[in-house]
Amino acid sequence: MASDLHGLIAGRLQAMTHAELSEAPQRIAGMVVPNAEGLSKRQRVDLALANLTQDELARFALKFAADRGDIVLDEAGRKVLEAGDPPLSHITRRDVARIFGDDLAGERGTVELVGRYFLLSTPLEDLLGSSGRSLRDQIARHMDRNPGDWSVEHLFGEIGAFDCSRARFGALLEEAVHPLSRSGDEQLQTVAALNKILARDGYELAQESELSGHPIFGFRPLVRGVSGRPKNLIFASRGPKPEIGFADAINNDIVILSGEENCLIYDRTIGSNGLLWTELVAWWSDVTAGANAANLGARLQESLASDAERKLFATYFKAYRSVLGEALPALLPQVYLHYDPAVVKTLRHRLPLPRQRMDFLLLLPGRQRIVLEVDGKHHFSESDHPSLKVYADMVSADRELRLAGYEVYRFGANELVGDGAEPRIADFFEKLFRLHRVRQ
């Protein structure tokens, strides 16, 4: 699969002129193609691709395909990136097709819907005309002009939907249940029927947004996540805990009573797609004069308590800022989880709430909340002596978080310092993002 992708990319690049090779790959995907004197186009391309991993090839393929509208290259890249994901079986895809009967597109045209994601005719056929021989012409004839000629199951076989990438199959389903295709009870009943089938392989269609009051559904892995949505994020604490109260308890609107300078509060709506770094930067720019991504990063670093935390934070952005671009999730440091607005002196009659703060939090799509903890000796000891009680309190709090739907990952502080720290951190996030399908 990877060798096929390598060959496809090489073929696309070698079809360019020398001048285009020097400009287009770098503009589209940041790839530099060497331009030494006397090198052929093939030699230049071979040098550019020689040291790329399979995933790097696939990410380049997606960028290049998006720029050129190249469905074949896009599909090859997606299959490489999905290689380790749970399969969506032929049986499941067949049963999905049978739910639709002979009507995939609903109120839209089948050619319009399917043509967004599948190659229905060759460039030559488009240029010269195909006299009814192309797949596009056949779909128009048998599904749009003469509904009932073809079943959706037959259509899937013709377009290659039984063995295409999961991302492409999922996108096709999203279009089939889009409000422009189906609305009202028909849309909801179709989604419910599809989800019973998709759940067998661990996938679902879940509502992600609305359009004019109609739900928009997205294809995603079937995950439990955390119920409810975030309403207030109090994070980046760099001093004493601020005191808060409610400006409007009905709306859950909070107000800082004192200590506002010690933390940041993100109070904008966070939807099912989680919180992205670009969204956090946009908020920061609105609430802080002269703000930008650089000084937001500097402000967040002020809250980090150890070299290990600083290394994790810096490596995250170094490894994934350019790779994920606008899809980069915000890595939030020092986030309050349990928050008692009462002042400390009023708490003498009882213990404070456990696990007051999380070292780092990621809010990912599908209501997934990822907690990262960097453990120093205070996580296992008391007054510099090993303490089973301290350890028991920590693992008990972890259990409660996991039962609430959070994922908790712990690092020993020693893991995050020294020569091997950066690759270890990058490897963790690579596996985490693959697990949760965080892609550019």
Side-chain angles (χ1 to χ4, degrees):
M1 187 183 300
S3 60
D4 293 343
L5 178 60
H6 186 285
L8 278 174
I9 295 173
R12 300 302 196 268
L13 294 178
Q14 288 171 30
M16 295 179 168
T17 66
H18 276 285
E20 288 173 328
L21 272 178
S22 299
E23 183 272 331
Q26 185 167 10
R27 171 181 57 81
I28 295 169
M31 175 189 285
V32 177
V33 179
N35 191 23
E37 185 69 28
L39 290 180
S40 68
K41 288 191 291 183
R42 179 172 181 174
Q43 289 171 325
R44 294 179 64 191
V45 169
D46 287 345
L47 286 171
L49 303 181
N51 296 318
L52 296 184
T53 66
Q54 292 184 22
D55 280 4
E56 288 169 339
L57 281 171
R59 292 190 188 105
F60 173 81
L62 296 190
K63 291 180 181 179
F64 197 79
D67 184 77
R68 302 300 173 100
D70 191 328
I71 291 176
V72 174
L73 184 59
D74 178 86
E75 176 68 3
R78 293 190 184 280
K79 283 194 171 181
V80 168
L81 290 175
E82 293 178 357
D85 295 344
L88 190 65
S89 73
H90 185 109
I91 294 173
T92 293
R93 298 181 193 220
R94 180 204 65 192
D95 292 347
V96 162
R98 291 176 179 176
I99 291 293
F100 290 107
D102 58 12
D103 183 12
L104 177 68
E107 296 182 35
R108 286 196 279 184
T110 311
V111 169
E112 172 199 354
L113 190 150
V114 174
R116 294 170 180 260
Y117 304 104
F118 294 86
L119 193 63
L120 304 184
S121 57
T122 67
L124 187 60
E125 287 172 332
D126 291 336
L127 181 64
L128 301 178
S130 58
S131 301
R133 294 187 300 271
S134 74
L135 182 55
R136 179 185 300 276
D137 295 333
Q138 294 179 59
I139 293 172
R141 175 184 176 185
H142 294 294
M143 299 209 73
D144 289 337
R145 293 197 297 273
N146 298 289
D149 277 3
W150 281 8
S151 67
V152 174
E153 186 175 354
H154 181 84
L155 172 70
F156 278 13
E158 293 290 334
I159 64 178
F162 286 123
D163 58 4
C164 70
S165 65
R166 283 177 294 283
R168 192 166 305 279
F169 191 85
L172 184 66
L173 294 188
E174 290 172 358
E175 294 288 350
V177 299
H178 190 279
L180 290 174
S181 299
R182 290 173 168 80
S183 59
D185 289 342
E186 182 189 2
Q187 180 199 38
L188 298 180
Q189 290 168 6
T190 302
V191 168
L194 292 172
N195 278 341
K196 288 182 180 179
I197 294 168
L198 294 172
R200 300 187 310 216
D201 286 347
Y203 295 91
E204 68 173 344
L205 289 163
Q207 183 174 346
E208 292 185 342
S209 59
E210 287 188 356
L211 177 64
S212 301
H214 297 281
I216 303 291
F217 291 91
F219 178 81
R220 71 181 190 190
L222 184 61
V223 290
R224 184 166 69 89
V226 180
S227 60
R229 69 168 183 84
K231 298 179 180 66
N232 297 294
L233 281 175
I234 306 173
F235 65 105
S237 175
R238 60 183 179 184
K241 180 179 176 181
E243 297 176 27
I244 66 171
F246 286 101
D248 187 330
I250 297 174
N251 288 339
N252 197 34
D253 295 331
I254 66 172
V255 61
I256 302 295
L257 302 175
S258 66
E260 183 175 4
E261 68 281 1
N262 295 328
C263 65
L264 302 178
I265 299 180
Y266 185 90
D267 56 1
R268 293 185 176 177
T269 299
I270 299 174
S272 60
N273 287 325
L275 180 62
L276 300 174
W277 173 247
T278 52
E279 294 172 322
L280 193 66
V281 171
W283 162 80
W284 175 251
S285 299
D286 288 344
V287 301
T288 308
N292 55 37
N295 54 40
L296 172 59
R299 169 62 185 85
L300 297 181
Q301 289 182 64
E302 291 176 10
S303 69
L304 304 179
S306 67
D307 289 341
E309 289 183 7
R310 285 185 280 273
K311 189 68 171 180
L312 188 149
F313 188 78
T315 301
Y316 175 77
F317 285 95
K318 179 181 178 181
Y320 287 97
R321 181 76 180 274
S322 60
V323 170
L324 292 178
E326 293 189 355
L328 180 71
L331 181 61
L332 304 171
Q334 299 299 324
V335 182
Y336 279 103
L337 173 66
H338 294 148
Y339 205 99
D340 194 323
V343 294
V344 174
K345 65 183 180 181
T346 68
L347 297 177
R348 290 176 181 169
H349 65 288
R350 62 175 173 83
L351 294 174
L353 291 168
R355 181 62 71 78
Q356 297 255 342
R357 284 191 304 196
M358 300 172 283
D359 290 340
F360 295 97
L361 177 67
L362 290 161
L363 299 174
L364 301 184
R367 307 188 308 278
Q368 297 300 292
R369 302 184 193 176
I370 313 299
V371 177
L372 307 180
E373 292 288 342
V374 179
D375 294 343
K377 64 180 182 180
H378 63 283
H379 289 85
F380 310 98
S381 63
E382 192 171 19
S383 301
D384 283 334
H385 295 291
S387 171
L388 289 176
K389 180 182 181 304
V390 170
Y391 176 74
D393 289 344
M394 180 183 71
V395 296
S396 174
D398 281 359
R399 284 198 305 273
E400 293 301 317
L401 272 183
R402 292 191 181 102
L403 289 171
Y406 288 79
E407 288 183 25
V408 182
Y409 297 94
R410 289 191 169 275
F411 294 88
N414 288 346
E415 292 184 89
L416 305 181
V417 295
D419 294 338
E422 282 195 16
R424 186 177 295 116
I425 295 167
D427 179 67
F428 165 76
F429 282 112
E430 177 68 25
K431 292 174 180 175
L432 180 72
F433 290 156
R434 181 181 293 276
L435 178 66
H436 288 280
R437 295 163 181 80
V438 175
R439 300 291 186 211
Q440 184 170 15

